[in-house]
Amino acid sequence: MSKTGVFICHCGTNIASALDVYKVAEAAKAIPDVSYAAEYKYMCSEPGQQLILDAIKEQGLKRIVIAACSPRMHEITFRKMLKKSGVNEYLLEIANIREQDSWVHEDTGKATEKAIDLVRMAVAKVQKNEPLKTSFIPVTKRALVIGGGIAGIQAALDIADAGHDVVLLEREPSIGGRMAMLDKTFPTLDCSACISTPKMVDVSAHPNITLMTSCEVESVSGYIGNFKVAIRKKAKYVNHDICTGCGLCEEKCPVKTDSAFNRGLSKRPAIYKLFPQAVPAKPVIDKESCIKIKSGKCGLCEKICPLGCIDYNDEDRLVEEEFGAIVLATGYKLAEWQSMYDEYGAGRFPDVIDGLQFERLVNASGPTEGRITRPSDGKEPKTVVIVKCVGSRDIKKGHPYCSRACCMYAAKHAHQILEKIPGSRVFIFYIDVRTPGKGYEEFYDKTRKDGAVYVRGRVSRIYKEGDHIVCQGEDSLLGRQVRVNADLVVLETAMEPSEGSAELLGLLGCAKDEDGWIQEAHPKLRPVETQVGGVFLAGVCQGPKDIPDTVAQASASAAKAIGLLNKDEMETSPMIASVAEDKCSGCGACEPICPYKAITLERIPDREPGTGRKIERPAARVNAGLCQGCGACTVACRTGAIDLLGFRNNQILQEVDALWP
Amino acid sequence: MAIDSEPKIVAFCCNWCTYTGADLAGLNRMKYPENVRVIRVPCSGRVNPQFILRAFRRGADGVMVCGCHPGDCHYSTGNYFTRRRFMLMRELLEFNGIDPRRFHARWISGSEAAKFRDTVTEVTEMIRGLGK
Ligand SMILES: Cc1cc2nc3c(=O)[nH]c(=O)nc-3n(C[C@H](O)[C@H](O)[C@H](O)COP(=O)(O)OP(=O)(O)OC[C@H]3O[C@@H](n4cnc5c(N)ncnc54)[C@H](O)[C@@H]3O)c2cc1C
Ligand code: FES
């Protein structure tokens, strides 16, 4: 006999009125493994718990079954209670005779029979329970934020303000992301730089933040609280420790190459800052276009630099850093519409531009100093067509999803054109207008009153006719074809996950959704966590959104990271997978099935059967920090070597068997 | 025993969705037949086909495996494996001489108390129809 005690709760009358608790207690006593059974009005109450504790002591109970409400209600309460008793808190099973019995059945006799079955199952299972221990892992009190757009900036500032060290890693030479490219921001039309550059400066001045620009993540190992990240510091060819950012080199450099920041609308030198307010405010050399690096000639910047900062022999360096938490904020890129929409000219007409190009055109520090002109001839356009949902909500050619910010920035673009070009006309082709934000509907309304003409329908063709660009489409409200002779066409194109996002997610073991965005741990209840413990997400990398939503999400993920970093140690659930190495054949079937990359094949020492010679062979190993206890691996295992503690194969089979004693 | 004429059905329910949904049915005092015995597992992906065969071999009249809706699994991909695995289950059952209509895999979320009640009722009726 294993000295199991069974305790049956009346739950006031919640249980006792619908089934015969005394009969259940009698039946429990008759189970061979049970040495003691009792019933009581409220087992979870103070005296109820005392009754159990006393029985443990007096009867020398070794395993406990409580038949009461759902384990989801009081399992934790009773585990805590057991900690005071000397019985390991995992030698406990709960029979759910309230939510799944007394509350849902009307026939007292049958409900009682069911309760007896449930008790029998719990008793059978608890015989195979093992004492388990929660283990503690230390937490490295340092966060890594990947991506220096507004999401990464906000998350880094929040975590740093809470007193933790943060590394903000950005692969471009400056932080700022897409927001730095924008002119004004809807719906308030405050200038983007005016609200984002002070935050960028805060980042660079914050004592707790280390800024790592021109850097990329090379590899990631470890787990929640204990990540090891190898970071590639790309060669800058400029010693930022002594450079003051005076800018002489940028003026003297003879190279002119397309400025990616201005989206090809202007040129920049080979030694350059991403944009005038770049942080850090120091230039780097782009090795692809530098004459000196490519052919050994030139060297002008080295000659002109008063401080001797230039080093053409600079090389990439790898550093390894440790972090307790990681925030992903890698943002988005705009879709390459040229390869998706042949009927829009596929990029052959310079006056068909995308939304970010328009932002640069209308921006006072952009290539035209804020004058809206046609890229082809520099003339001011009088008629502008804006096409929404290019690549979004288009299952055939683009993406099924809505890019969410476009309805609003299309209205913003219309407003800016009407305001800056007197007498201009703006036509907006749309499928729907979606304005679900504070002040958004009002902004859209105002834009229409300003004179923007909304045409409901998709543009089917864009072609050149003389000096005009003709946009042809159907007005689906009027049911007729429309043609607009435009001077400039702005395509509001779909947001897509940043370049290299899939590779980064692969390094971290995070999943992506069907469209490539980062998959959150739960779409409703854990929206800023990834399913890798300790890795959080913020901003558009999770899916298209605007700046207010991005910033809110960034602060939310910072709160999650801070919560983790505030701990010195982390408690981990002991109900995780465990490998019996002697049974493991090293086949590796469990490895790919694990959603958390918690299983690796490692070589373990062994003896050769027969000869007894020392050999090494592969066996699965579970990383306790990564395993979340789902048990998927146990089903993949062919030899039964990998099992789930707390829900072992034999525990579950015991429950099944108990139904047919 | 009186209930010997009643079918006994084993339901493996994942902790995060269906078990929660079943609890909610209780909170809402919904009524359904007494025939189902729930075994709580962390995820539907934890359910080994061996458990199902064992239940049938011991005398179960029906077996259910219930978890989160595809895509909603607490462990993200667990129930995709479940789905794939149990598509093959029919053949395995037939091979073992068990009527595959006695086995049901269903997705019931933590909020779908009514669906839990209806599913249990429907499956119980159906199995009753198949006889002991
Ligand atoms: C034309 C246009 C106009 C818009 N106008 C508005 C507006 O008026 N109001 C508004 O609220 N929203 C507007 N938006 C939306 C706005 O741009 C986004 O909501 C916001 O910029 C998202 O910020 P983020 O930090 O998530 O992403 P991003 O700004 O894309 O930042 C991501 C950063 O991560 C870096 N990065 C990416 N991958 C890696 C990697 N692997 N390693 C290191 N670094 C990496 C990138 O270089 C970048 O700096 C507009 C969008 C467009 C396209
Ligand atoms: S947790 Fe419910 S099916 Fe995986």
Side-chain angles (χ1 to χ4, degrees), chain A residues 592-615:
Chain A
I593 212 169
C594 175
Y596 306 100
K597 281 199 183 168
I599 304 175
T600 45
L601 278 189
E602 267 162 45
R603 299 199 72 79
I604 58 162
D606 202 1
R607 298 227 175 238
E608 196 174 61
T611 68
R613 261 194 314 133
K614 275 192 183 172
I615 50 159

Side-chain angles (χ1 to χ4, degrees), chain B residues 4-131:
Chain B
D4 242 353
S5 55
E6 281 287 325
K8 211 179 248 189
I9 300 164
V10 179
F12 296 94
C13 297
C14 91
N15 180 48
W16 305 98
C17 283
T18 312
Y19 196 89
T20 313
D23 276 358
L24 188 62
L27 273 167
N28 293 339
R29 308 298 197 274
M30 292 173 171
K31 302 295 172 210
Y32 54 83
E34 296 84 356
N35 309 58
V36 165
R37 303 288 180 268
V38 170
I39 294 183
R40 184 164 71 125
V41 285
C43 173
S44 64
R46 169 70 186 93
V47 180
N48 197 316
Q50 178 204 345
F51 302 164
I52 295 160
L53 289 180
R54 176 78 149 248
F56 279 122
R57 216 168 302 136
R58 291 284 150 167
D61 301 293
V63 175
M64 294 164 71
V65 173
C66 305
C68 316
H69 287 261
D72 274 355
C73 172
H74 182 76
Y75 305 101
S76 85
T77 51
N79 56 17
Y80 289 125
F81 293 114
T82 317
R83 193 162 54 172
R84 235 170 291 158
R85 209 169 279 142
F86 293 122
M87 302 230 276
L88 303 172
M89 198 66 209
R90 301 190 134 261
E91 284 162 42
L92 185 64
L93 289 174
E94 264 167 3
F95 181 77
N96 281 276
I98 298 157
D99 186 340
R101 286 174 299 174
R102 294 186 181 275
F103 172 73
H104 297 266
R106 295 294 171 88
W107 315 121
I108 302 170
S109 80
S111 61
E112 293 175 324
K115 185 169 178 195
F116 182 82
R117 173 198 60 198
D118 295 346
T119 307
V120 166
T121 311
E122 174 209 321
V123 170
T124 307
E125 286 318 312
M126 161 147 196
I127 299 222
R128 201 171 266 143
L130 290 175

Side-chain angles (χ1 to χ4, degrees), chain A residues 389-406:
Chain A
C389 302
V390 178
S392 308
R393 307 180 65 194
D394 184 351
I395 297 167
K396 274 206 208 106
K397 303 205 155 172
H399 304 289
Y401 55 82
C402 160
S403 288
R404 266 183 71 180
C406 329

Side-chain angles (χ1 to χ4, degrees), chain A residues 146-153 169-172 174-180 182 184-187 215-217 329-334 354-357 359 405-406 408-409 412-413 440 492-493 495 498-501 504 538-541 544-550:
Chain A
I146 305 175
I150 190 60
I153 291 173
L169 181 144
E170 166 62 56
R171 66 178 169 199
E172 295 293 330
S174 170
I175 54 170
R178 303 296 152 257
M179 190 175 170
L182 307 181
K184 294 200 163 96
T185 52
F186 64 73
C215 284
E216 271 176 53
V217 172
T330 50
Y332 69 100
K333 67 175 184 337
L334 286 185
D354 70 18
L356 280 177
Q357 283 177 312
E359 294 283 343
C406 329
M408 283 305 293
Y409 71 66
K412 173 183 78 174
H413 291 168
Y440 286 15
E492 313 292 30
T493 48
M495 297 190 198
S498 282
E499 209 67 59
S501 144
L504 180 64
V540 178
C541 62
K545 57 179 65 67
D546 58 18
I547 296 165
D549 284 0
T550 294

Side-chain angles (χ1 to χ4, degrees), chain A residues 610-648:
Chain A
T611 68
R613 261 194 314 133
K614 275 192 183 172
I615 50 159
E616 273 198 349
R617 64 173 179 92
R621 180 153 297 168
V622 176
N623 181 321
L626 290 175
C627 178
Q628 308 270 318
C630 72
C633 53
T634 60
V635 187
C637 182
R638 288 161 204 156
T639 61
I642 198 161
D643 211 344
L644 185 63
L645 300 181
F647 289 96
R648 280 191 184 271

Side-chain angles (χ1 to χ4, degrees), chain A residues 159 161 260 277 433 449:
Chain A
I159 299 170
D161 282 343
Q277 308 95 319
V433 179
K449 290 201 183 102

